[in-house]
Amino acid sequence: MSGSTVAVRTALALYPVRYRRERGDELADVFADTTAEAGSTAKVRELVDLGAYGLRMRTGLTSGSTGGRLAALAAPLVAGAVGGLAAGRLLIAYLEQDLPHLSVGELPFLPFWALLGAALLSGGAALLGHWTAAKLLAGAAALAAVADLVVQTAAAAVQPLWDFLFALQWDGPFVLWALVLLAAPKDALPVPEWRERGLMLAAALVVPAVAYPTDVYESWHELAPEWRGLMVCVPLLMVLSVVRGWYLAAVPGLALLPWALCVNLHALWQQEGGAWRLLPMVVAVVAVAVALVLVGRRKGPVGQRGRLTA
């Protein structure tokens, strides 16, 4: 058995069993035909695409699924938020003459700089319509964010959980945003035109304008727990509204939730006696979503009003 055959079988193993049983031979033949005259690089790219689509089928993140369509619709807002938050941090560091403190030569700050660079490039690639590069760079930013979380938590001598949640305020959104971008199917992502580029630029301006003036990244920032709860539960409810087919509400909620969740967990734990205090509001939000489903079943199928299509 050749190495190419083993690689194809490995990629096909990522597909659901029933689909692989019915279409596996056909997929292998198509792959062999399309790569017969191709070079090594093209074969690897086709092989990766073959396996990646199998994973999408297993996870329900294809262009025809609800999750895949929702991630693709949210991608412009998410890409703008990723690039905008990183650009805002650099601008503030420059204005406050804080750049020497963030010396590239200092090892603890290398993940931080890698995160900023990858996030900026990801936003720029999305703006130009290079979604594959944008997704890969967002993934690199997420890995750098995880490394930064590890560095910050490992340096904690007294309260590692406190330091972890404090670092999560900055690093967490980039990890969750990257998951949204990676979940978006390539064939469902839009070719950026004036509308998509406008959404990206709006997110790139709004997110840092909201994040930095409110001082949420300070070690102690007073804000009523009710407001913190609403900051998390409102976008959560927007995301859950997809159960009624209300994509128009779900898309901005999905883009906002990663930031809102990460920047509030620290303060809810630190100032209010524990993030568990958010639980009653979360339960209420889920109860509303369940009620929407039950009402929808009584009234019949959901119409197209309020939907967005990919």
Side-chain angles (χ1 to χ4, degrees), residues 19-268:
Y19 187 88
R20 184 171 67 247
R21 188 182 302 120
E22 296 176 353
R23 303 282 303 277
D25 292 339
E26 179 185 347
L27 290 173
D29 291 341
V30 170
F31 177 84
D33 291 341
T34 55
T35 60
E37 304 297 330
S40 299
T41 302
K43 286 183 178 180
V44 171
R45 184 170 59 249
E46 290 293 331
L47 191 63
V48 170
D49 288 343
L50 181 66
Y53 192 76
L55 281 177
R56 289 196 174 279
M57 292 192 68
R58 277 190 179 272
T59 56
L61 291 174
T62 63
S63 57
S65 68
T66 297
R69 292 173 60 210
L70 184 59
L73 289 169
L77 288 175
V78 169
V82 167
L85 196 62
R89 181 65 183 90
L90 274 177
L91 179 61
I92 289 175
Y94 174 77
L95 294 177
E96 295 180 352
Q97 298 298 308
D98 196 27
L99 290 176
H101 176 63
L102 303 178
S103 173
V104 179
E106 296 181 27
L107 184 60
F109 289 111
L110 288 180
F112 178 85
W113 280 104
L115 167 58
L116 286 182
L120 278 171
L121 291 173
S122 176
L127 193 64
L128 296 174
H130 303 310
W131 283 112
T132 299
K135 293 166 72 171
L136 291 175
L137 287 165
L143 291 176
V146 171
D148 190 52
L149 273 173
V150 172
V151 169
Q152 298 298 325
T153 306
V158 181
Q159 292 182 307
L161 178 59
W162 188 94
D163 285 272
F164 172 80
L165 291 175
F166 179 65
L168 188 71
Q169 293 180 106
W170 167 256
D171 294 314
F174 290 99
V175 176
L176 298 180
W177 278 330
L179 292 178
V180 175
L181 286 176
L182 291 173
K186 184 169 62 175
D187 55 338
L189 288 166
V191 177
E193 297 181 354
W194 67 269
R195 177 180 176 275
E196 287 75 22
R197 288 193 172 95
L199 288 173
M200 291 183 200
L201 293 175
L205 292 173
V206 170
V207 170
V210 171
Y212 295 117
T214 54
D215 295 326
V216 292
Y217 298 118
E218 297 296 328
S219 61
W220 190 278
H221 176 56
E222 290 287 355
L223 189 64
E226 293 80 10
W227 281 109
R228 290 196 180 277
L230 287 174
M231 287 173 66
V232 176
C233 289
V234 168
L236 177 60
L237 180 59
M238 295 169 73
V239 172
L240 291 178
S241 68
V242 77
V243 299
R244 290 290 293 135
W246 296 337
Y247 283 19
L248 189 62
V251 166
L254 181 60
L256 176 62
L257 186 59
W259 180 83
L261 180 65
C262 293
V263 301
N264 285 291
L265 279 181
H266 172 258
L268 285 167

